[in-house]
Amino acid sequence: MNTEELKSAAAQAHIVASALPFLRRYAGATIVVKYGGHAMGEDILAGEFGRDIALLKQVGINPVIVHGGGPQINAMLDRLAIKSNFIDGLRVTDAAMVEVVEMVLAGSVNKQVAGLINRAGALAVGISGKDGGLIRARKMHRTKKDPDSHIESVLDLGFVGEPAFIDTRVIHALTGAGLIPVIAPVGTGENGETYNINADTAAGAIAGALNANRLLMLTDVPGVLDKTKKLMPDLSLAQIQALIADGTISGGMIPKVETCMEAVTLGVKGATILDGRVPHALLLELFTDGGIGTMIHK
């Protein structure tokens, strides 16, 4: 081994040794990962994601994956010439469309994500929220206020739902057998109807029901930014509420932080929004001081 090879080997050994305290911290812990965005669409990042999840399992962590699939749903709707209608930015999901959503999320996308992990050497099983009664859903109700009359009207979004109850038995059965659950965010209503559920919302509800140690939400942004666009690495629930009130947190970041706040309220020790476009984002978040995203806690 020449000098350069020795330096490289020493650097790798240092990285492994540095990770030891974090490995002890998370040994046996349940980590729920919401997987979506560009990290899901780019082959290199997808491959790294699969290997990182396999590594977490190998070192004694129990990862549970909840994935999205918006771009894949859009592509299939275009292929089938099914037109999407939106109300205030929310897709109206009728009976025909929810069949497509389920076919894509619980079918091709679910098996692709599970396949990434399986190819990396772990054992992943793709399921949907309908399997084993995992996600019992209710219809999502949204209202819209008329700017002139200030009268609120109810928006009918069709088969768009939200979790009403999470039955964790199927997850425990899989993790107890050494398997990694990969969950598509569709659920079952009271009368057996299928509901499309936002993946962030589903991940937060599942993390809370599992009393998970961490919820990691892979997104296309570094985390929560202050007004100077600097990352805020650590925020309490009270700080989040103040940042929403003063407009620092706005737009699409609001539902993400609200999901994290709900998960923490339900018992998750920390919920982190991080950039899934960063190679090995999960490992950097879990196994380095400070992590790379914004962790929300009580």
Side-chain angles (χ1 to χ4, degrees), residues 72-285:
Q72 293 89 337
I73 292 171
N74 291 336
M76 181 59 72
L77 291 173
D78 289 342
R79 286 176 59 187
L80 298 175
I82 297 177
K83 184 179 179 181
S84 296
N85 294 316
F86 292 85
I87 299 178
D88 283 4
L90 298 171
R91 189 201 305 270
V92 179
T93 305
D94 59 19
M97 190 174 295
V98 79
E99 288 186 7
V100 176
V101 169
E102 182 176 13
M103 176 180 68
V104 174
L105 286 180
S108 57
V109 173
N110 186 253
K111 305 315 173 191
Q112 286 169 6
V113 176
L116 293 171
I117 300 168
N118 288 327
R119 286 195 295 275
L123 293 175
V125 176
I127 61 174
S128 80
K130 294 172 67 176
D131 293 315
L134 171 57
I135 303 178
R136 299 175 195 174
R138 57 175 171 254
K139 185 181 178 71
M140 178 182 286
H141 294 285
R142 290 288 183 89
T143 59
K144 179 182 179 181
K145 181 179 289 187
D146 184 276
D148 298 321
S149 66
H150 301 292
I151 296 175
E152 286 192 338
S153 58
V154 177
L155 304 177
D156 186 358
L157 301 173
F159 293 94
V160 175
E162 59 188 1
F165 178 75
I166 304 295
D167 188 333
T168 59
R169 286 178 294 174
V170 67
I171 296 178
H172 288 307
L174 292 171
T175 57
L179 305 172
I180 300 172
V182 177
I183 303 167
V186 293
T188 307
E190 286 186 356
N191 300 312
E193 64 271 47
T194 298
Y195 282 106
N196 178 25
I197 301 170
N198 177 273
D200 291 350
T201 304
I206 289 170
L210 289 171
N211 196 27
N213 186 283
R214 297 287 300 275
L215 168 63
L216 303 180
M217 296 182 61
L218 297 180
T219 66
D220 291 338
V221 295
V224 180
L225 308 179
D226 64 18
K227 290 185 177 179
T228 67
K229 304 303 179 183
K230 182 180 179 181
L231 177 70
M232 291 183 279
D234 185 86
L235 292 171
S236 67
L237 299 184
Q239 288 174 316
I240 288 286
Q241 292 170 337
L243 291 169
I244 292 174
D246 72 11
T248 301
I249 298 176
S250 61
M253 184 57 71
I254 291 178
K256 291 187 183 300
V257 298
E258 287 179 340
T259 293
C260 291
M261 292 171 69
E262 178 67 16
V264 169
T265 301
L266 290 172
V268 177
K269 294 178 178 61
T272 302
I273 299 170
L274 66 157
D275 194 341
R277 300 168 299 181
V278 175
H280 305 295
L282 296 176
L283 304 186
L284 290 169
E285 175 58 32

Side-chain angles (χ1 to χ4, degrees), residues 31-48:
I31 306 291
V32 176
V33 180
K34 185 269 177 170
Y35 179 48
H38 282 87
M40 191 174 180
E42 296 181 9
D43 290 343
I44 294 176
L45 288 174
E48 289 177 347

